[in-house]
Amino acid sequence: MISTAADMRKALKGSSPRFTGVILYEGRSAIDGGPIVVIANRIAHASGNEKTGAMVQTFIIRQDVRPLEALATGLDKSICGGCIHRPANGGTCYVNVGRSVESVYGAYTRGRYARPGKDYDASILPDLFEGSVFRLGTYGDPAAAPFRIWANATAKVKARTGYTHQWKRKAFEAFKSICMASVDSPRDLALARAMGWRSFRVRAKDAATIEGEVICPASKEAGQKTTCEACKACGGLSAKARADIVIMAHGPTGGRFT
Ligand code: SF4
């Protein structure tokens, strides 16, 4: 079993045993009890994602079915809850599930991700991610997995970004320290503020911004001035930034958001 962060970095760079990333959690979804897995990758290499920059990427997916099948059958509720951007709810999610998420799931089924307690000692995670900018939920809602998993993995990171649609539920209150409340209307923005959350709001094309909101500087409408890695604003209450963030609906189905 790998017992140091240095040895894990070697394994992620190609030494034997070779892994593509690490599993952070396998178990029940805190949203609906379905079987889920949380995977972290892009640990030793820069991410190719233009908007985020070089960040550790994490995927929260159903353990038992392919991501596209989960979308088609509604089983993705375990990892996205009642998010209005799910295809089952009308479909404006910006993540390209058919490409990146399916590829992560395929690698998971082929045993390419190191398992805690079997392939590596989970106590190395704070050191493994030390100094990184860590994205909670490249796909999936971070609140589907226990808060302690994220708190441990990000204990020594430089910064983190994360978004949750579960912010209205008291059981997920701890996440306000590391995640933004994903809000979809001015009314929800006001409610999230009253509940002590910082917010990330998706607005319809050409809808107005609201006082106290800043347009995401990596967005097309702001001229794609920076990346999440450099900006780091979306880390909930633990980020230095205090403003709420707003962005115009985007991605393959963004035009359907009203
Ligand atoms: S506000 Fe900053 S951290 Fe948040 S999504 Fe935009 S670039 Fe990323």
Side-chain angles (χ1 to χ4, degrees):
M1 187 180 334
I2 296 172
S3 58
T4 68
D7 283 346
M8 178 56 88
R9 280 197 200 94
K10 281 185 206 155
L12 292 168
K13 281 184 178 154
S15 309
S16 178
R18 188 178 188 283
F19 294 112
T20 304
V22 299
I23 294 170
L24 300 180
Y25 175 73
E26 286 175 305
R28 297 279 159 203
S29 161
I31 296 173
D32 72 350
I36 64 166
V37 55
V38 179
I39 289 163
N41 68 12
R42 301 281 177 188
I43 299 163
H45 311 279
S47 162
N49 186 315
E50 285 171 12
K51 178 169 179 280
T52 64
M55 295 175 76
V56 174
Q57 305 287 334
T58 61
F59 294 80
I60 302 139
I61 51 183
R62 284 283 300 210
Q63 197 178 22
D64 53 338
V65 291
R66 286 178 46 208
L68 282 176
E69 189 184 333
L71 281 190
T73 56
L75 289 173
D76 63 324
K77 185 175 179 202
S78 305
I79 51 107
C80 288
C83 173
I84 66 161
H85 304 290
R86 286 172 59 213
N89 292 336
T92 55
C93 179
Y94 63 90
V95 179
N96 189 333
V97 177
R99 209 167 44 191
S100 59
V101 189
E102 280 279 314
S103 151
V104 168
Y105 183 73
Y108 170 65
T109 58
R110 294 193 302 277
R112 298 298 305 276
Y113 296 109
R115 281 205 151 83
K118 178 172 175 280
D119 299 314
Y120 77 96
D121 181 341
S123 67
I124 69 171
L125 288 176
D127 288 340
L128 183 64
F129 297 123
E130 183 174 9
S132 66
V133 184
F134 190 104
R135 187 175 183 190
L136 290 82
T138 305
Y139 178 66
D141 193 313
F147 179 78
R148 64 182 160 77
I149 300 296
W150 303 110
N152 180 46
T154 66
K156 295 184 180 178
V157 298
K158 185 159 62 177
R160 49 179 91 69
T161 66
Y163 313 87
T164 178
H165 266 94
Q166 313 310 314
W167 56 271
K168 287 181 189 168
R169 294 171 62 185
K170 185 93 176 148
F172 298 106
E173 198 176 24
F175 281 87
K176 70 171 67 161
S177 63
I178 54 174
C179 288
M180 309 294 279
S182 286
V183 303
D184 303 299
S185 67
R187 201 170 81 172
D188 271 359
L189 172 64
L191 181 59
R193 283 176 173 173
M195 291 172 67
W197 287 79
R198 290 183 61 230
S199 296
F200 186 96
R201 184 169 71 92
V202 179
R203 62 181 170 140
K205 194 168 179 294
D206 299 327
T209 61
I210 291 169
E211 196 180 339
E213 286 183 327
V214 168
I215 295 174
C216 163
S219 65
K220 276 201 177 139
E221 68 262 32
Q224 297 178 312
K225 289 194 278 278
T226 187
T227 61
C228 297
E229 181 202 2
C231 168
K232 309 180 194 75
C234 289
L237 299 177
S238 64
K240 281 192 190 142
R242 297 272 56 98
D244 293 314
I245 310 294
V246 65
I247 194 167
M248 237 177 243
H250 60 289
T253 56
R256 304 213 309 256
F257 184 81
T258 56

